[in-house]
Amino acid sequence: MRLSRTRQETRSWVKTCRMAGERIALVPTMGYLHDGHLSLIERARQEADRVVISIFVNPLQFGPGEDYDRYPRALDRDLDLAEKAGAHHAFAPSVDEMYPAGEPWVNVVPVHGADRLCGASRPGHFAGVLTVVSKLLNIIGPDAAVFGQKDYQQLILIRRMVHDLDMPMKIIGAPIVREADGLAMSSRNSYLSAAERQRALVLSQALRRCEERFASGERNAEAFRGLLMEVEGEGVALEYAEVVDGDTLEPLDEVSEGAVCAVAARVGETRLIDNTILGH
Ligand code: AMP
C-alpha cells in the first residue's frame, strides 16, 4: 500500500491508475480504524480496482470544546490495518496540507437537513464535513465513495451534496458494524471506561426493541420514540431520540419500512450515536 501526505502525490498516483484504465473508490475516515472502517474498504474493493483510504482528523467539523485535540490518532497501526483489509493507497494529509491558507473562506453549507438530529447540538458540524468531503472528492476524483450508515445524517447529506452539486460519483452506504454485544463500533468507544462501556449498551438495546416492535406491527412513531427515550438513566444523558424519514430526515408520525430510528446520548463525557433502519 502506498502512503501519500500531499495532494500532489495523491493526484499523481490517481493519474497513473487512470492511465491504466482502473476504477477508483474512496473511503474517507478520521483514522483510529476499527472493523467498521475495514468493512467500508471491503465494500469499496467490490466497486473498484483501486481503493484509497483517507485518514484525516478534520478540525473544521469539530466545535469549540469538542474532542478535536484528544481524538485518538494511530497512523502506523491504521496503515497496517488498511493494507490488510485490501486498501491500495492511503492519503493522510496534515492540517496545513488540507487548509494551507488557514480556515477556508468557502465552505459547503447544507441548507436543509442539518439543523436537527446531530446538527442541533453541533452547529457547523455538517458544513465542516461536507467541505472536507468535497475537497477529498475533488483531490481524488473517485468513481465511488463509501460511507457508513452509522453516521446516517452524514450519509444522507453527502448523497444530497453529490446530487445537488452534480458531482460525478456514486455514493455507497454500508451497514453498521457492531461489537458482539451490539455496541456500534466507533473510534470514540476508546474513551469509555469499563463501566461506561457496559452502560453504553442501552443504545443498541433500545434500537433492537424498536426493530422488534416494528416486526410485530407497531407503526406509531411515538411508540418508537418512547422506547428510545428509555436509554436515559444513570450515567447516560439522552441528547435526542428521533424517528425520521430515511430519505428526507423529516420527523414522522407514522412509520413504514425504511424509517430510521436514531439516538444520541452522552455516556459520561463521551457522545455516542446509533441508529437502525426499520424493516431492514
Ligand atoms: P470516522 O472515522 O468516524 O469519521 O468514520 C469514517 C467512516 O466510517 C464514516 O463513513 C462512518 O460512517 C464509518 N463508520 C464509523 N463507524 C462505523 C461502523 N460501526 N460501521 C460501519 N461504518 C462505520
Side-chain angles (χ1 to χ4, degrees):
M1 187 178 72
R2 289 269 310 271
L3 166 67
S4 61
R5 310 296 305 234
T6 66
R7 292 162 291 170
Q8 200 194 334
E9 288 168 88
T10 311
R11 282 198 167 114
S12 72
W13 178 82
V14 167
K15 198 168 165 189
T16 313
C17 298
R18 292 300 189 196
M19 281 182 339
E22 292 169 334
R23 282 174 58 81
I24 297 171
L26 169 67
V27 177
T29 79
M30 296 205 297
Y32 211 69
L33 302 185
H34 50 66
D35 285 351
H37 297 114
L38 303 183
S39 77
L40 306 186
I41 296 177
E42 277 152 30
R43 179 66 189 82
R45 285 179 61 191
Q46 296 165 17
E47 204 64 31
D49 307 299
R50 297 279 159 184
V51 174
V52 189
I53 179 170
S54 62
I55 299 174
F56 179 61
V57 185
N58 173 35
L60 216 59
Q61 72 190 67
F62 288 79
E66 290 189 354
D67 56 345
Y68 174 71
D69 288 331
R70 67 183 191 113
Y71 196 83
R73 292 159 168 93
L75 183 62
D76 289 342
R77 176 181 160 275
D78 287 349
L79 295 176
D80 196 42
L81 289 171
E83 177 160 37
K84 288 192 177 119
H88 302 94
H89 193 101
F91 175 42
S94 65
V95 172
D96 282 348
E97 177 64 22
M98 285 299 270
Y99 302 113
E103 203 175 307
W105 282 22
V106 177
N107 277 12
V108 179
V109 183
V111 179
H112 295 296
D115 49 348
R116 289 197 325 276
L117 300 167
C118 291
S121 63
R122 304 189 74 189
H125 168 68
F126 288 113
V129 170
L130 296 185
T131 302
V132 80
V133 170
S134 302
K135 285 170 68 73
L136 293 167
L137 294 173
N138 284 334
I139 292 162
I140 292 157
D143 299 283
V146 186
F147 295 87
Q149 179 209 309
K150 161 85 181 354
D151 299 274
Y152 194 87
Q153 188 175 19
Q154 167 177 290
L155 171 63
I156 294 299
L157 288 168
I158 289 167
R159 274 196 206 292
R160 295 300 290 237
M161 171 181 81
V162 163
H163 176 265
D164 291 349
L165 301 183
D166 297 302
M167 299 166 88
M169 66 263 317
K170 178 170 162 189
I171 299 300
I172 297 167
I176 301 176
V177 176
R178 298 179 178 282
E179 303 284 357
D181 58 9
L183 182 70
M185 289 191 183
S186 165
S187 307
R188 289 189 168 99
N189 291 349
S190 64
Y191 298 149
L192 300 170
S193 69
E196 288 169 343
R197 166 76 184 63
Q198 201 55 33
R199 281 187 203 125
L201 294 179
V202 292
L203 274 75
S204 55
Q205 286 164 353
L207 290 164
R208 190 138 24 91
R209 278 197 288 279
C210 289
E211 285 162 13
E212 287 162 6
R213 282 286 279 279
F214 184 75
S216 60
E218 181 66 71
R219 293 295 180 266
N220 181 354
E222 260 331 291
F224 295 97
R225 285 190 194 96
L227 288 173
L228 293 177
M229 282 161 72
E230 286 172 18
V231 307
E232 176 93 33
E234 200 200 321
V236 182
L238 181 70
E239 187 187 292
Y240 65 73
E242 288 266 19
V243 186
V244 298
D245 182 277
D247 294 321
T248 65
L249 303 175
E250 289 295 326
L252 296 170
D253 293 328
E254 191 162 321
V255 306
S256 56
E257 193 180 320
V260 175
C261 294
V263 64
R266 257 176 213 285
V267 179
E269 293 294 299
T270 306
R271 184 177 179 278
L272 299 178
I273 58 172
D274 201 350
N275 68 80
T276 191
I277 307 176
L278 293 175
H280 279 223

